[in-house]
Amino acid sequence: MINLILFGPPGSGKGTQAQRLVEKYDIAHWSTGDMFRFELSNHTELGQLAKSYMDKGQLVPDEVTISMLKKRMESGKATNGFILDGFPRNIVQAQALDTLLEEKNLKITALLSLEVDEEELINRLLNRGKVSGRADDINEEIIRRRLQVYKEETTPVYNYYAEKQLAVQVNGMGTIDEIFEELCLLIDDRYTTQFVY
Ligand code: B4P
């Protein structure tokens, strides 16, 4: 089993790389951002609530996010493992994840942190905004707020896992293919002994 947290600021390539990794390693993909967008496209109450935070570049409240993820983890299959993408985003979420995994007798294999320059992040998100129309990707001010929230609330999560010797930095600059190759080399080199696929 391989249980990964794909970590990094908005626009660092978490969603992009997670999609490829889940295909290659046949593991589950749990993206809290995708879950919120799914709720939103289905016009649910949860989707409306999430939108009011996402559009402003803020985090959705912890109790809402944690209970949504818990439900998804309990109903989904993850025989070979999973990738968490966009979660945990603060220490409260990291502690909640510990409890959730402990109940299931599971452990995080590694947190892989994609390192990307700020100007590159802003360009990527603005480019995506032109195509996707995502409200949180169109406005540079909102993007900068998301990056600020990341610095203040999310970066401590890296240290939380670094203290457990589980955090690894990966160069997130370069083409999507190059970064994917680097991630696969790392996973195959360090973690395949725990993982049969
Ligand atoms: P997310 O959906 O997690 O979105 P994100 O941080 O923007 O990153 P994403 O993974 O989608 O983008 P990627 O870097 O792959 O979060 C959105 C919002 O949901 C949050 O702001 C928050 O409000 C809420 N939320 C989510 N999880 C939460 C939680 N746990 N707690 C509270 N609130 C939560 O890609 C970005 C763009 O870059 C793409 O267009 C991609 O094609 C491009 N790209 C990727 N790699 C590239 C490369 N190497 N070169 C060039 N372009 C690249």
Side-chain angles (χ1 to χ4, degrees), residues 116-171:
V116 179
D117 297 347
E118 187 158 314
E119 286 315 302
E120 169 74 7
L121 295 171
I122 293 168
N123 284 337
R124 286 185 191 178
L125 294 172
L126 285 172
N127 278 336
R128 181 171 63 184
K130 284 184 206 151
V131 183
S132 70
R134 256 177 69 168
D136 56 346
D137 284 344
I138 290 170
N139 179 316
E140 188 166 334
E141 201 183 313
I142 291 172
I143 292 175
R144 288 198 185 271
R145 189 166 320 135
R146 288 164 65 193
L147 293 173
Q148 192 59 32
V149 169
Y150 175 80
K151 277 183 203 147
E152 287 167 7
E153 297 187 43
T154 310
T155 49
V157 172
Y158 180 88
N159 298 331
Y160 185 83
Y161 288 93
E163 278 166 22
K164 299 173 196 270
Q165 321 288 333
L166 292 175
V168 183
Q169 293 188 344
V170 178
N171 177 16

Side-chain angles (χ1 to χ4, degrees), residues 97-114:
L97 180 63
D98 282 348
T99 310
L100 249 162
L101 295 178
E102 230 170 80
E103 283 166 11
K104 298 178 183 307
N105 213 9
L106 291 172
K107 279 194 164 61
I108 290 296
T109 311
L111 173 146
L112 307 180
S113 175
L114 294 166

